[in-house]
Amino acid sequence: MIAILKHGTTEAQTQHLVDWLKQQNLDVHISEGKEVTVLGLIGDTSAVDMDLLGSLEIVDAVRRVSEPFKKANRKFHPQDTIVDVGGVKIGGGSFAMIAGPCSVESEEQIIEVASAVKASGANLLRGGAFKPRTSPYAFQGMQGEGLKLLLKAKKATGMPIVTEIMNISTLDLFADVDLIQVGARNMQNFDLLKELGKTKKPILLKRGLANTLQELLMSAEYIMSEGNEQVILCERGVRTFETFTRNTLDLSAVPSLHQLSHLPVVVDPSHATGKSWLVPPMAYAAAASGADGIMVEVHNNPSCALCDGAQSLTPPQFDQVAQKVRKIREVLA
Amino acid sequence: MIAILKHGTTEAQTQHLVDWLKQQNLDVHISEGKEVTVLGLIGDTSAVDMDLLGSLEIVDAVRRVSEPFKKANRKFHPQDTIVDVGGVKIGGGSFAMIAGPCSVESEEQIIEVASAVKASGANLLRGGAFKPRTSPYAFQGMQGEGLKLLLKAKKATGMPIVTEIMNISTLDLFADVDLIQVGARNMQNFDLLKELGKTKKPILLKRGLANTLQELLMSAEYIMSEGNEQVILCERGVRTFETFTRNTLDLSAVPSLHQLSHLPVVVDPSHATGKSWLVPPMAYAAAASGADGIMVEVHNNPSCALCDGAQSLTPPQFDQVAQKVRKIREVLA
Amino acid sequence: MIAILKHGTTEAQTQHLVDWLKQQNLDVHISEGKEVTVLGLIGDTSAVDMDLLGSLEIVDAVRRVSEPFKKANRKFHPQDTIVDVGGVKIGGGSFAMIAGPCSVESEEQIIEVASAVKASGANLLRGGAFKPRTSPYAFQGMQGEGLKLLLKAKKATGMPIVTEIMNISTLDLFADVDLIQVGARNMQNFDLLKELGKTKKPILLKRGLANTLQELLMSAEYIMSEGNEQVILCERGVRTFETFTRNTLDLSAVPSLHQLSHLPVVVDPSHATGKSWLVPPMAYAAAASGADGIMVEVHNNPSCALCDGAQSLTPPQFDQVAQKVRKIREVLA
Amino acid sequence: MIAILKHGTTEAQTQHLVDWLKQQNLDVHISEGKEVTVLGLIGDTSAVDMDLLGSLEIVDAVRRVSEPFKKANRKFHPQDTIVDVGGVKIGGGSFAMIAGPCSVESEEQIIEVASAVKASGANLLRGGAFKPRTSPYAFQGMQGEGLKLLLKAKKATGMPIVTEIMNISTLDLFADVDLIQVGARNMQNFDLLKELGKTKKPILLKRGLANTLQELLMSAEYIMSEGNEQVILCERGVRTFETFTRNTLDLSAVPSLHQLSHLPVVVDPSHATGKSWLVPPMAYAAAASGADGIMVEVHNNPSCALCDGAQSLTPPQFDQVAQKVRKIREVLA
């Protein structure tokens, strides 16, 4: 971390600041230039409050030289992390083809969709049991009952499953879930992240609606700093001024996260766009951008889905998507 | 709710859709125009999935005629709600002057600040005990210990207190807290909202970083639909492309929320701007926009604050802010 | 266009509004529902002021049923428009591989880059002569002199050229330019658009930093309504809260624009990301999303470029991008 | 400007970069820290390409120490600039009360509105003659004819006038206009700014829809660097995700611009909100934030206005706004 002092700062003022920084277990390297004096802070600056430092009267600006995340940082962990989700590897060249309905609705539905997407090459089954909904009056998911049906589909098809947790008090119900999803609205629910960091379950961490890549990595760091390093990042669109699509899918996040971090990155084109006809081109683009997986909503009868049907593919549509995604990955291999 | 059908929709298709809607306990009024056919959905449409309806092949667009929030809606509750926080009234002409340090740091600090801001006219004491921080390595607040100190300051000064809850499992600790704050990052932590809806405590609900006014009101609805109608809304800046200020304070939210809802609206200029010298002009502007209160960070020694000192006022600075805010309110009375 | 009247509107008020609308040459179809009355406006509503209509006391909401753009609208022109740029076809299955330096710097440079990118399969040469720069103190391009060098490169290589116009007063200099670019900052310079609509030159219209797809199409409409229908749209990233990338490339714009309009859509991954290492993955993703072309900055010596070198590829890097883009297009064919 | 070199940079690489920087007439001060080496660039760095420098392989980050604007910078011009607009002073404690219709529609209309707002204390008359409209099919203003009517109103009432220029080719028509407005969409029409910089007319420069404060000041710099230092800045709302208001009025821009620059800052609450009932509270808030003026749309018959009537006040509404704004300014004096 570097602090740039204002022109005109006295030697006494500088010394006072240096002493204060040293009290925080930092070494300080002073570099006096013609126009500015720069303090180099050496040591563990991850707990230093940049805003506070920058607000001091003699400080012009404060800049981080190193990223504030450590365990998620590729600099300290050059090899790709490969997460094993119930036997399916994700990252480091292994691709996750995650598919399934937005919400689990019935045993028949979830098993039918699971069998269909498996036949098309999906290797993970998704399905919502606990649903975060903007309105308290909207369908909130089948909850615990939905989880049980999802586990039946897992048993019937042998596919590992991924589903969302909204409340740490329900953790016991997730004992046989292979990959626990943290939704966009909970990306900065730090208490939930800490608790998940104490489990040994792989975590799928979705980017928040208006969160930067650095904030996403800091949230991964919350999980990892508690001991659980099995984190998969997920880009699912950010909120912008554009209203034609539900969100704006930020595919540059994929290579950017790969550069900053060793964690796998998957893309959810269904929630990002909110329109089923936009899902195939965005799934192809996600694969072409280098993603380690895609997560796609598939429903056997989209027009009757209880929620989010607007963005679901039919099984035949998904089959074509899966085929082309594989071919695009071959081109890039 | 209105569904506009595409040109060329057949009578049979229309009838099929109407039947489906009627199964959802809705009455449907069909209006055939020269260019378009419009279906008027009559009944409780708050649970209807607009996105799904809009995704049907024959539907061109779907529009809500009425807002999806009910209990928070001024249409059904024209009078201003006045929330009583430990004897201090907020809303309907009564103004909340909330002040205190970002974080509780010591008994001496919190009592000193509390006494100072009370002398300047503050009627509620704020102080963070549980702190949501982007980094797991940053100071997370004094937690339970901080709450105890805050309660000591309440006892010493007689001021009701407001502090943030991050996790419903800590609710017992808030038994003597007068106003429980839900932070911006938890605005859509729906499980937390529901649990707070079951308490009888006044709730201060902060707008999320990238949430619309309607989403804020839907989150209020989550609390209110469980039986707790003592909700105070708080504008604290939204995230935009501008980087000079930490967030962009959206003061048009104040009169807009007053038009849409009967709930009181307070403004937090400290978190919105992140710079202490921006707090006074934004506090004046908040009062001038018609806010029912302001929430301001005050610290007896900002340059030593453990967090967020950059945006804190000193007690003398706050004293001047409080005086001018009162005068501006007189102008508008 | 549909106007939804407020509950409680009197018959006389409704009639007054209907009369006013009829004065604007519109037919009005009144549909009285149980809860709301809906007016259907029939005729050419493209000049109706939605905001004004919506502000009337008796009007609850106004919704457009049809898009406000006509000539750019796929509904009225189902086939893809194919633009012929100096013999190179763009759109309807024909792909534009546009490459070249950000700025023309010297005859040697532009011809060397042109030859290199042509050898790799580029079919159009880009090069900036007039440069829009945020700072008046930054290099503003070689201007007229740059245009001459670009024309020399065209002659030397046979490649059609594309370059940006900033001011209609320089139009004469563009007589031999094959494709005239309107930059993001001028997307709503309506006087410039109108003048370009009077020429017979193909126009490359870049999306503004914070403009919606509909606004982009309305700007295309400005050009087309003056008689020039040879417009190519260009997605080049939008401004969001994310600071890691210069802009956020919105690839969902590609299939969205294809659905809304018949005009070709190309993607500029260089300006969108601002980092050369992000250009290849975003170029692949653009091709996979169905774009009709990509526009990539290539420089023979990026670290010495006078501007925007940070986002330029070297000729060998571009060669690999071009190869993979072709293969991805084969997968999707 | 400071360049932070990557860990592991060799001495030869550093020297190569230093030589390159010196070729650009910069002095370089090298400071070798334990973890990083920092180069301090001394001299006129306003033309240095930060992005290019930052893209070099050995460079980790580049930071500006000083702002890239000079003539607009308060550091070099501590006193408030006071702009004289036809005898009306703006800035440095003098307040501009600018009012008038969105569009000039007739001689009767403009004179009637002008007389009314003058009686209420307005000291400048606004009125649109050339109107930037998103749609080519919408009313584009009365253009030259409108300007003539505006000048008649100036003559009749003695009020200086402000109106928008869209195209430098119409400059001759603005000979008797007192304050020339550059609209939000033209804030980065750099050629227009340069030409206006060559005139001696005061310029009202509106912030672009998605432009930062620094970009606004750089656009002011374009005008000022050509010799015209009579620039007034205008905040008129920025584009965000919120759709309830047309734009999001950023009032923190007022004290922020005052800190960064010596130029006067006025606020336009009418265009920012798009709703007449939001104009009074936002006008009060603007005054309370320390603005040097407000610009408000007033129409004698809002429901018949040809454009933007939705956001216009009636003369009696404006009268009340003007009174309260004056009182709020007294509180802050």
Side-chain angles (χ1 to χ4, degrees):
Chain A
M1 190 176 284
I2 284 183
I4 302 159
L5 303 189
K6 281 187 187 151
H7 194 77
T9 299
T10 66
E11 211 167 304
Q13 287 174 309
T14 304
Q15 197 53 50
H16 186 81
L17 177 57
V18 168
D19 292 345
W20 182 68
L21 290 166
K22 287 189 173 170
Q23 281 168 26
Q24 299 180 42
N25 293 318
L26 296 167
D27 249 13
V28 182
H29 179 272
I30 307 178
S31 145
E32 290 187 46
K34 203 167 151 190
E35 295 197 333
V36 288
T37 295
V38 176
L39 303 187
L41 280 55
I42 300 162
D44 180 3
T45 59
S46 58
V48 173
D49 186 337
M50 275 182 71
D51 288 333
L52 172 59
L53 194 54
S55 75
L56 301 178
E57 264 194 57
I58 61 170
V59 177
D60 201 59
V62 181
R63 309 292 180 193
R64 278 199 184 277
V65 177
S66 52
E67 293 89 2
F69 46 96
K70 300 173 192 173
K71 291 183 177 286
N73 199 325
R74 191 178 282 275
K75 279 187 191 156
F76 310 126
H77 187 306
Q79 296 93 339
D80 289 343
T81 280
I82 300 172
V83 178
D84 185 311
V85 177
V88 173
K89 296 201 177 338
I90 304 177
S94 295
F95 195 80
M97 192 84 87
I98 311 172
C102 179
S103 292
V104 179
E105 291 164 36
S106 69
E107 183 172 342
E108 192 185 18
Q109 172 240 20
I110 186 70
I111 292 183
E112 189 180 315
V113 174
S115 306
V117 298
K118 190 186 178 187
S120 296
N123 51 14
L124 258 95
L125 176 65
R126 59 148 292 149
F130 296 93
K131 304 292 305 172
R133 304 300 303 272
T134 306
S135 166
Y137 308 119
F139 175 59
Q140 310 268 322
M142 290 184 74
Q143 318 232 355
E145 199 53 40
L147 266 184
K148 283 183 200 162
L149 299 182
L150 202 52
L151 290 168
K152 284 193 181 175
K154 175 183 175 178
K155 208 171 169 184
T157 61
M159 297 175 86
I161 57 173
V162 49
T163 195
E164 180 167 353
I165 195 167
M166 287 178 62
N167 190 330
I168 199 64
S169 72
T170 62
L171 185 61
D172 287 350
L173 300 173
F174 288 73
D176 294 320
V177 170
D178 301 280
L179 177 60
I180 300 180
Q181 175 178 319
V182 176
R185 287 174 185 77
N186 275 320
M187 193 201 91
Q188 294 194 318
N189 183 340
F190 301 122
D191 277 28
L192 177 62
L193 300 179
K194 277 188 222 172
E195 293 301 320
L196 292 173
K198 292 171 190 162
T199 73
K200 298 196 184 310
K201 290 278 181 192
I203 308 295
L204 182 73
L205 179 64
K206 289 194 150 188
R207 182 181 186 184
L209 277 174
N211 286 109
T212 63
L213 300 183
Q214 181 170 304
E215 287 170 338
L216 173 59
L217 290 168
M218 291 309 290
S219 286
E221 195 80 12
Y222 259 99
I223 300 169
M224 299 172 88
S225 66
E226 297 287 339
N228 182 357
E229 306 205 351
Q230 305 295 297
V231 179
I232 300 169
L233 307 170
C234 181
E235 162 63 30
R236 44 77 72 214
V238 292
R239 186 163 272 190
T240 68
F241 59 86
E242 178 62 69
T243 54
F244 187 77
T245 42
R246 184 192 295 173
N247 294 118
T248 298
L249 185 64
D250 175 11
L251 286 178
S252 60
V254 176
S256 299
L257 288 170
H258 277 159
Q259 202 228 26
L260 292 167
S261 176
H262 50 87
L263 298 174
V265 183
V266 305
V267 173
D268 176 347
S270 302
H271 282 86
T273 61
K275 297 183 177 184
S276 64
W277 58 270
L278 282 171
V279 173
M282 290 302 101
Y284 306 149
S289 75
D292 299 297
I294 55 170
M295 180 149 87
V296 175
E297 284 189 14
V298 179
H299 198 282
N300 42 3
N301 188 2
S303 70
C304 289
L306 293 169
C307 80
D308 282 331
Q311 68 205 25
S312 290
L313 299 183
T314 60
Q317 287 171 329
F318 174 70
D319 188 66
Q320 206 187 16
V321 167
Q323 284 181 40
K324 288 198 180 167
V325 161
R326 279 191 293 268
K327 285 186 189 157
I328 287 170
R329 283 182 44 76
E330 282 165 23
V331 168
L332 298 176
Chain B
M1 191 175 285
I2 284 184
I4 301 159
L5 304 190
K6 279 185 188 153
H7 194 77
T9 299
T10 66
E11 211 168 304
Q13 287 175 310
T14 305
Q15 195 53 48
H16 186 80
L17 177 57
V18 169
D19 291 345
W20 181 68
L21 290 166
K22 286 189 173 171
Q23 280 167 27
Q24 299 182 42
N25 292 319
L26 296 166
D27 249 13
V28 182
H29 178 271
I30 307 177
S31 143
E32 289 186 49
K34 203 168 152 188
E35 293 198 332
V36 289
T37 295
V38 176
L39 303 187
L41 280 55
I42 300 161
D44 181 3
T45 60
S46 58
V48 173
D49 186 337
M50 274 183 70
D51 288 334
L52 173 58
L53 193 55
S55 76
L56 300 179
E57 263 194 60
I58 60 169
V59 176
D60 202 59
V62 182
R63 309 293 180 193
R64 277 200 185 278
V65 178
S66 52
E67 293 90 1
F69 46 96
K70 299 175 194 174
K71 290 182 177 287
N73 199 326
R74 191 179 281 275
K75 279 188 190 157
F76 309 126
H77 187 307
Q79 297 92 339
D80 289 343
T81 280
I82 299 171
V83 178
D84 184 312
V85 177
V88 173
K89 295 201 177 341
I90 304 177
S94 295
F95 195 80
M97 193 83 87
I98 311 173
C102 179
S103 293
V104 178
E105 292 164 36
S106 70
E107 183 172 343
E108 192 185 15
Q109 172 240 20
I110 187 69
I111 291 182
E112 188 179 317
V113 175
S115 307
V117 298
K118 190 185 178 188
S120 295
N123 50 14
L124 258 94
L125 175 65
R126 60 148 291 149
F130 295 93
K131 304 292 304 171
R133 304 300 302 272
T134 306
S135 166
Y137 309 119
F139 174 60
Q140 309 268 321
M142 289 183 76
Q143 318 233 354
E145 199 52 41
L147 265 184
K148 283 181 201 162
L149 299 182
L150 202 52
L151 290 167
K152 284 192 182 176
K154 175 183 174 178
K155 209 171 167 183
T157 61
M159 297 176 86
I161 58 174
V162 49
T163 194
E164 179 167 354
I165 194 167
M166 287 179 62
N167 190 330
I168 198 66
S169 73
T170 62
L171 184 61
D172 286 351
L173 300 173
F174 287 73
D176 294 321
V177 170
D178 302 280
L179 177 60
I180 300 180
Q181 176 179 319
V182 176
R185 288 173 186 76
N186 276 321
M187 193 201 91
Q188 293 194 318
N189 183 340
F190 301 121
D191 276 28
L192 178 62
L193 300 179
K194 277 187 221 171
E195 292 301 320
L196 292 172
K198 293 171 190 161
T199 72
K200 298 198 184 310
K201 290 277 181 191
I203 307 297
L204 182 72
L205 179 65
K206 288 193 149 189
R207 182 182 184 182
L209 277 174
N211 286 109
T212 62
L213 300 183
Q214 181 170 304
E215 287 170 339
L216 174 58
L217 290 169
M218 290 309 290
S219 286
E221 195 81 11
Y222 258 99
I223 300 168
M224 298 171 88
S225 66
E226 297 287 339
N228 182 356
E229 306 206 351
Q230 304 296 296
V231 179
I232 299 169
L233 307 170
C234 181
E235 162 64 30
R236 43 77 71 215
V238 292
R239 186 162 271 189
T240 67
F241 58 86
E242 179 61 70
T243 55
F244 187 77
T245 43
R246 184 192 293 173
N247 293 117
T248 297
L249 185 64
D250 175 12
L251 285 178
S252 60
V254 176
S256 298
L257 288 170
H258 277 159
Q259 202 229 23
L260 292 167
S261 176
H262 50 88
L263 298 173
V265 183
V266 306
V267 172
D268 176 347
S270 302
H271 283 87
T273 61
K275 297 184 177 184
S276 63
W277 56 271
L278 282 171
V279 172
M282 290 302 100
Y284 306 150
S289 75
D292 300 296
I294 56 170
M295 180 148 88
V296 175
E297 284 189 13
V298 179
H299 198 281
N300 42 2
N301 188 2
S303 71
C304 288
L306 294 168
C307 79
D308 282 331
Q311 68 206 24
S312 291
L313 300 183
T314 59
Q317 288 170 328
F318 174 72
D319 188 66
Q320 206 186 16
V321 166
Q323 284 181 40
K324 289 199 180 166
V325 161
R326 278 191 294 269
K327 284 185 189 158
I328 288 171
R329 285 182 44 75
E330 281 165 24
V331 168
L332 299 175
Chain C
M1 190 174 285
I2 284 183
I4 301 159
L5 304 190
K6 280 185 188 152
H7 194 77
T9 300
T10 66
E11 211 168 304
Q13 286 174 311
T14 305
Q15 196 51 51
H16 185 81
L17 177 57
V18 169
D19 292 345
W20 181 67
L21 290 166
K22 286 190 172 170
Q23 280 168 28
Q24 298 182 44
N25 292 320
L26 295 167
D27 249 14
V28 182
H29 177 272
I30 307 177
S31 143
E32 290 186 48
K34 202 166 152 191
E35 292 198 333
V36 289
T37 295
V38 176
L39 303 187
L41 280 55
I42 299 161
D44 181 3
T45 59
S46 58
V48 173
D49 186 336
M50 273 181 71
D51 289 333
L52 172 58
L53 194 54
S55 75
L56 301 178
E57 263 194 60
I58 61 169
V59 176
D60 201 59
V62 182
R63 308 294 179 193
R64 276 200 184 278
V65 177
S66 52
E67 292 90 2
F69 47 96
K70 300 175 194 173
K71 290 182 177 287
N73 199 327
R74 191 179 279 276
K75 280 189 191 156
F76 310 127
H77 187 307
Q79 295 92 339
D80 289 343
T81 281
I82 300 171
V83 177
D84 185 313
V85 176
V88 173
K89 294 197 177 343
I90 303 177
S94 296
F95 195 79
M97 193 82 89
I98 312 173
C102 179
S103 291
V104 179
E105 292 164 36
S106 70
E107 182 171 345
E108 193 184 16
Q109 172 241 20
I110 187 68
I111 291 183
E112 190 179 314
V113 175
S115 307
V117 297
K118 190 186 179 186
S120 296
N123 51 15
L124 257 95
L125 176 66
R126 61 147 291 148
F130 296 93
K131 303 292 303 173
R133 303 302 302 272
T134 306
S135 166
Y137 309 119
F139 174 60
Q140 310 267 322
M142 291 183 74
Q143 318 234 353
E145 198 52 41
L147 265 184
K148 283 182 200 160
L149 298 181
L150 201 54
L151 290 168
K152 283 192 181 175
K154 173 183 176 177
K155 207 172 169 182
T157 61
M159 296 175 86
I161 58 175
V162 49
T163 195
E164 179 167 353
I165 194 167
M166 286 178 62
N167 189 330
I168 199 65
S169 73
T170 62
L171 184 62
D172 287 351
L173 299 173
F174 288 73
D176 294 321
V177 170
D178 301 280
L179 177 60
I180 300 180
Q181 176 178 320
V182 176
R185 288 173 185 76
N186 275 321
M187 192 202 92
Q188 293 195 318
N189 182 340
F190 301 121
D191 277 28
L192 178 62
L193 300 178
K194 278 188 220 172
E195 291 301 320
L196 292 172
K198 292 171 188 159
T199 72
K200 298 197 184 310
K201 290 277 182 193
I203 307 298
L204 182 72
L205 179 64
K206 287 194 150 190
R207 183 181 184 182
L209 276 175
N211 286 110
T212 62
L213 300 182
Q214 181 170 305
E215 286 171 340
L216 173 58
L217 290 168
M218 291 310 291
S219 286
E221 195 81 11
Y222 258 100
I223 300 169
M224 298 171 87
S225 66
E226 296 287 338
N228 182 356
E229 306 205 352
Q230 304 296 296
V231 178
I232 300 170
L233 307 170
C234 181
E235 162 63 29
R236 43 78 72 216
V238 292
R239 185 163 273 189
T240 68
F241 58 86
E242 178 62 70
T243 55
F244 188 78
T245 43
R246 184 191 294 173
N247 294 117
T248 297
L249 185 64
D250 175 13
L251 285 178
S252 59
V254 175
S256 298
L257 288 169
H258 277 159
Q259 200 227 26
L260 293 168
S261 176
H262 51 88
L263 297 174
V265 182
V266 306
V267 172
D268 176 347
S270 302
H271 283 86
T273 61
K275 297 185 176 182
S276 63
W277 57 270
L278 282 171
V279 173
M282 290 301 101
Y284 306 149
S289 75
D292 300 296
I294 54 171
M295 180 149 86
V296 175
E297 284 190 14
V298 179
H299 197 282
N300 43 1
N301 188 1
S303 70
C304 288
L306 293 169
C307 80
D308 281 330
Q311 68 206 25
S312 292
L313 300 183
T314 60
Q317 288 171 328
F318 175 70
D319 189 65
Q320 207 188 14
V321 167
Q323 284 181 42
K324 289 198 180 167
V325 162
R326 279 190 293 268
K327 285 186 189 157
I328 288 171
R329 285 183 43 75
E330 282 166 22
V331 168
L332 298 176
Chain D
M1 191 175 284
I2 283 184
I4 301 159
L5 303 190
K6 281 186 186 151
H7 194 77
T9 300
T10 67
E11 211 168 303
Q13 287 174 310
T14 305
Q15 197 52 51
H16 185 81
L17 177 58
V18 169
D19 291 346
W20 182 68
L21 290 166
K22 287 189 172 171
Q23 280 168 28
Q24 298 180 45
N25 293 320
L26 296 166
D27 250 13
V28 181
H29 178 272
I30 307 178
S31 143
E32 291 187 47
K34 204 168 154 190
E35 295 197 333
V36 288
T37 295
V38 176
L39 303 187
L41 280 56
I42 300 161
D44 181 4
T45 59
S46 57
V48 173
D49 186 336
M50 274 183 69
D51 288 333
L52 173 57
L53 193 55
S55 75
L56 300 178
E57 263 193 59
I58 61 170
V59 176
D60 201 61
V62 182
R63 307 292 178 196
R64 277 199 185 279
V65 176
S66 52
E67 293 89 3
F69 46 95
K70 300 174 193 174
K71 291 183 177 286
N73 199 326
R74 190 178 282 274
K75 280 188 189 155
F76 310 127
H77 187 307
Q79 297 92 339
D80 290 342
T81 281
I82 300 170
V83 178
D84 185 312
V85 177
V88 173
K89 294 199 177 342
I90 303 177
S94 296
F95 195 79
M97 192 83 87
I98 312 173
C102 178
S103 292
V104 178
E105 292 164 37
S106 70
E107 182 172 343
E108 191 185 17
Q109 171 239 21
I110 187 69
I111 292 182
E112 189 179 315
V113 175
S115 307
V117 298
K118 190 184 179 188
S120 295
N123 50 15
L124 258 95
L125 175 66
R126 59 148 292 149
F130 295 94
K131 303 293 303 174
R133 303 300 302 273
T134 307
S135 166
Y137 309 118
F139 174 60
Q140 310 268 321
M142 289 185 76
Q143 318 232 353
E145 197 53 40
L147 266 184
K148 283 183 201 160
L149 299 182
L150 202 52
L151 290 168
K152 283 192 182 176
K154 174 183 175 177
K155 208 171 167 184
T157 61
M159 296 174 87
I161 58 175
V162 49
T163 195
E164 180 167 353
I165 194 168
M166 288 179 61
N167 190 330
I168 199 66
S169 72
T170 62
L171 184 61
D172 286 352
L173 300 173
F174 288 72
D176 294 321
V177 170
D178 301 280
L179 177 60
I180 300 180
Q181 176 178 319
V182 175
R185 290 173 185 75
N186 275 321
M187 192 203 91
Q188 292 196 317
N189 182 340
F190 301 121
D191 277 29
L192 177 63
L193 300 178
K194 278 188 220 170
E195 292 301 320
L196 292 173
K198 292 171 189 160
T199 71
K200 298 197 184 310
K201 289 279 182 193
I203 307 296
L204 181 73
L205 179 64
K206 287 195 149 187
R207 183 182 184 182
L209 277 175
N211 287 108
T212 62
L213 299 183
Q214 182 170 303
E215 287 170 339
L216 173 59
L217 290 168
M218 290 310 290
S219 286
E221 195 80 11
Y222 258 100
I223 300 169
M224 297 171 89
S225 66
E226 297 287 339
N228 182 357
E229 307 206 351
Q230 304 296 296
V231 179
I232 300 169
L233 307 170
C234 181
E235 161 63 29
R236 43 78 71 215
V238 294
R239 185 164 274 190
T240 68
F241 58 86
E242 178 61 69
T243 55
F244 186 78
T245 42
R246 184 193 292 173
N247 294 118
T248 297
L249 185 64
D250 176 11
L251 285 178
S252 59
V254 176
S256 299
L257 288 170
H258 278 157
Q259 199 226 30
L260 293 167
S261 177
H262 50 88
L263 297 174
V265 182
V266 304
V267 172
D268 176 348
S270 302
H271 283 85
T273 61
K275 297 183 177 184
S276 63
W277 57 271
L278 282 171
V279 172
M282 290 301 101
Y284 305 150
S289 76
D292 300 296
I294 54 170
M295 180 149 87
V296 175
E297 284 188 14
V298 179
H299 198 282
N300 42 2
N301 187 1
S303 69
C304 289
L306 293 169
C307 79
D308 283 329
Q311 69 206 23
S312 291
L313 299 183
T314 59
Q317 287 172 329
F318 174 70
D319 188 66
Q320 205 186 17
V321 167
Q323 284 181 40
K324 289 198 180 168
V325 162
R326 278 191 294 268
K327 285 185 190 158
I328 288 171
R329 285 182 44 75
E330 281 165 23
V331 168
L332 299 175

